Amino acid sequence: MIVQLNLQCDVPLYLQLRNQIVLQIGEGLAQPGERLPTVRELAAQLGVNAMTVNKAYALLKQEGYLVQDRRAGTAVAEHFPPAADFTAKLERDLSLLTAESGLRGIDEETFLALCRKQYQRFGAGARTAKEGSGCSL
């Protein structure tokens, strides 16, 4: 797993780590069932406090992206929570992105084209196509 944290960024380190792990799962770089480094290993690799990694892992477990077993360690979940559980968060996040886009002069067509591009990259249809062809991003 290749993770790079930006120490100058306003986003907390545990959230940067959480986001990068979700992106790697979405891109197929981290496969369901794949073991992740231990908290101590990843903290040492990144040069951060173990509590930072622990907090990111705990959040990812709570969100259903990771599973933890005391004997087997931490792994990417085999199945993710249904979309119905995610819809409210998606709407909140899209509201903010839509507002910021409008304020910065991005027109609806460009906004929707960017959404389509990202959905094709990470969406359920892309995951099915990747699984069917055996390739990954």
Side-chain angles (χ1 to χ4, degrees):
M1 172 176 295
I2 299 172
V3 177
Q4 295 180 347
L5 301 178
N6 181 347
L7 301 176
Q8 307 306 315
C9 182
D10 290 338
V11 176
L13 295 175
Y14 80 94
L15 280 180
Q16 289 183 48
L17 179 56
R18 177 249 178 233
N19 293 344
Q20 287 192 33
I21 291 172
V22 170
L23 286 170
Q24 289 189 21
I25 294 169
E27 291 175 334
L29 299 174
Q31 297 293 318
E34 181 179 328
R35 287 195 60 219
L36 276 67
T38 67
V39 168
R40 287 183 183 164
E41 289 170 345
L42 190 54
Q45 185 180 49
L46 297 173
V48 297
N49 188 301
M51 290 304 296
T52 299
V53 176
N54 191 53
K55 191 170 183 178
Y57 276 14
L59 183 56
L60 289 160
K61 181 184 173 201
Q62 177 186 347
E63 294 172 337
Y65 294 110
L66 300 181
V67 292
Q68 288 180 314
D69 181 292
R70 288 186 190 264
R71 292 170 287 157
T74 302
V76 176
E78 295 285 341
H79 305 284
F80 303 103
D85 296 343
F86 182 72
T87 305
K89 180 187 181 325
L90 176 63
E91 189 169 359
R92 282 191 312 273
D93 291 351
L94 279 173
S95 292
L96 178 59
L97 287 172
T98 304
E100 288 178 326
S101 297
L103 291 168
R104 295 186 181 268
I106 295 177
D107 61 81
E108 181 180 2
E109 184 178 316
T110 302
F111 180 82
L112 293 175
L114 290 169
C115 287
R116 257 189 304 283
K117 177 181 175 185
Q118 292 306 315
Y119 189 82
Q120 288 168 355
R121 180 177 175 199
F122 295 108
R127 179 172 292 283
T128 303
K130 281 191 277 185
E131 289 172 359
S133 68
C135 65
S136 62
L137 295 176

